């Protein structure tokens, strides 16, 4: 039920009330004097899954005259609803604020300590690659490349859904 509408130059601010018994899924909202907003609003009671977009990215180490190339990630929340045909369907809730961290992609990346050398991810989902090598702190003075998982974690009550993406931090050229 629409409770209030405030008109702004950039659009509408709509306050709605959702019944506790409402099933999860998309809704269409109609406001007098505006076109109906078809399937624009999602009703849900919990986030069930996080997807990290893009699912795969490549970042490039920087150094010297070659600037680094970073990688931007976004966490998208989903829940499940019963569709019109009675089957479960994924309901995309949209971007959500999460905490970000890096994990080694495999045992080799863990052994090489790629999460320590390849760069870091900030809390806005931006991966900032390290300076290129050779790095004397790495075994064989290797470059600061990395094979990583980018992990998004959403604290959602007792549930803590996570999503992962694959990231390669590669050499300058």
């Amino acid at each position: 039920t629409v409770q209030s509408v405030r008109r702004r130059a950039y659009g509408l601010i709509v306050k709605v009330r959702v019944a506790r018994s409402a099933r999860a899924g998309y809704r269409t909202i109609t406001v007098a004097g505006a076109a109906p907003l078809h399937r624009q609003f999602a009703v849900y009671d919990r986030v069930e899954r996080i997807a990290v977009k893009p699912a795969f990215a490549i970042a490039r180490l920087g150094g010297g005259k070659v600037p680094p190339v970073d990688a931007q990630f976004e966490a998208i929340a989903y829940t499940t609803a019963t569709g019109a045909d009675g089957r479960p369907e994924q309901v995309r809730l949209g971007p959500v604020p999460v905490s970000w961290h890096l994990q080694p992609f495999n045992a080799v990346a863990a052994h090489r300590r790629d999460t320590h050398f390849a760069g870091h991810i900030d809390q806005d989902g931006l991966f900032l690659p390290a300076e290129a090598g050779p790095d004397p702190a790495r075994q064989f003075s290797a470059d600061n490349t990395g094979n990583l998982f980018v992990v998004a974690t959403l604290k959602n009550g007792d549930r803590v859904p996570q999503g992962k993406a694959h990231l390669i931090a590669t050499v300058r050229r």
Side-chain angles (χ1 to χ4, degrees):
T1 306
V2 175
Q3 289 191 305
S4 67
V5 178
R6 288 186 283 171
R7 297 183 187 279
R8 298 288 185 255
Y10 55 84
L12 300 173
I13 298 174
V14 180
K15 184 176 178 182
V16 298
R17 177 179 301 265
V18 178
R20 289 196 181 276
S21 61
R23 290 188 4 230
Y26 295 111
R27 300 295 190 279
T28 298
I29 292 185
T30 305
V31 176
L37 302 167
H38 295 286
R39 294 180 54 92
Q40 294 290 315
F41 296 89
V43 172
Y44 66 99
D45 62 351
R46 70 183 176 280
V47 173
E48 294 179 352
R49 180 173 72 86
I50 298 292
V52 176
K53 302 292 183 190
F56 175 75
I58 298 174
R60 185 179 68 203
L61 303 174
K65 295 180 181 178
V66 179
V69 175
D70 53 21
Q72 180 67 59
F73 294 90
E74 181 177 47
I76 308 295
Y78 290 86
T79 195
T80 304
T82 303
D85 59 0
R87 289 194 238 164
E89 71 174 5
Q90 290 290 299
V91 176
R92 183 184 190 278
L93 303 175
V96 291
V98 295
S99 60
W100 296 94
H101 70 276
L102 301 172
Q103 290 179 346
F105 182 75
N106 56 25
V108 173
H111 176 74
R112 293 185 59 221
R113 297 180 51 219
D114 286 358
T115 57
H116 178 76
F117 291 103
H120 73 279
I121 191 160
D122 70 14
Q123 288 309 298
D124 293 320
L126 179 63
F127 176 78
L128 301 160
E131 289 285 318
D135 188 336
R138 284 200 100 163
Q139 184 180 20
F140 309 118
S141 292
D143 220 327
N144 287 323
T145 59
N147 192 6
L148 307 167
F149 274 127
V150 173
V151 182
T153 304
L154 176 68
K155 182 76 170 120
N156 188 26
D158 294 337
R159 295 179 45 91
V160 184
Q162 286 189 335
K164 290 184 178 182
H166 188 188
L167 169 67
I168 301 289
T170 191
V171 296
R172 293 179 286 180
R173 296 176 194 241

